[in-house]
Amino acid sequence: MAAMTESRTLYEVIGGEARVREMVDRFYDLMELEPQFALLRATHGSSLDNARERLFMFLSGWMGGPDLYVEAHGHPRLRMRHMPFAIGTKERDQWLQAMAWAMEDVGIDEALRLRLMESFYQTADWMRNKPD
């Protein structure tokens, strides 16, 4: 996903560290604020601080910026790391909706949001680990 064009990464196109951080912060803020994300919020424990930082670090590298997550934690192994959490269709859909709103709220270009949502959907769907 990292390569956006031959000369610019997705990380650069989206606005670098500040923009990725803003998007992630808004995502978790929405999870805390909006009742329709209660099921998703409940999977995260009492504090969102660790999840917030890990998602920022992961997206930074995934978008072609600094590979912060790998440097700190090794290979992401996303599915394995999410196995302790019950993730079904409802959790997947809440994650995707919160991310879509977060990207819109921070002003990510619509075409870029759509491109990102395609990739986010594939990953979020793959993370499901419980029957509906």
Side-chain angles (χ1 to χ4, degrees):
M1 182 66 186
M4 180 77 179
T5 67
E6 287 186 32
S7 61
R8 294 183 70 201
T9 65
L10 178 56
Y11 182 80
E12 293 167 326
V13 169
I14 208 166
E17 178 182 350
R19 198 64 177 281
V20 175
R21 174 78 67 188
E22 181 183 20
M23 182 177 79
V24 169
D25 284 344
R26 184 63 182 150
F27 170 78
Y28 284 106
D29 290 348
L30 287 166
M31 197 185 301
E32 289 270 45
L33 295 169
E34 298 296 333
Q36 65 258 43
F37 302 134
L39 184 63
L40 178 62
R41 174 62 186 91
T43 67
H44 286 79
S46 61
S47 174
L48 293 175
D49 294 343
N50 187 45
R52 187 181 298 257
E53 187 61 20
R54 285 178 181 248
L55 182 58
F56 164 73
M57 294 169 75
F58 173 76
L59 289 179
S60 174
W62 182 77
M63 291 181 175
D67 216 354
L68 304 172
Y69 189 93
V70 171
E71 292 168 9
H73 305 288
H75 190 282
R77 300 178 300 202
L78 290 177
R79 186 156 168 82
M80 183 203 75
R81 292 185 196 263
H82 285 80
M83 287 307 282
F85 310 102
I87 302 170
T89 302
K90 289 179 182 176
E91 292 84 1
R92 177 202 65 195
D93 291 349
Q94 287 183 19
W95 194 100
L96 291 166
Q97 182 63 58
M99 184 54 77
W101 285 5
M103 288 191 295
E104 184 175 359
D105 286 354
V106 302
I108 306 289
D109 174 75
E110 183 179 6
L112 184 53
R113 287 194 325 256
L114 291 173
R115 179 174 176 211
L116 285 168
M117 286 306 295
E118 287 177 18
S119 293
F120 288 153
Y121 176 84
Q122 291 172 359
T123 301
D125 194 55
W126 179 62
M127 302 302 267
R128 290 183 304 128
N129 59 23
K130 74 172 189 176
D132 292 323

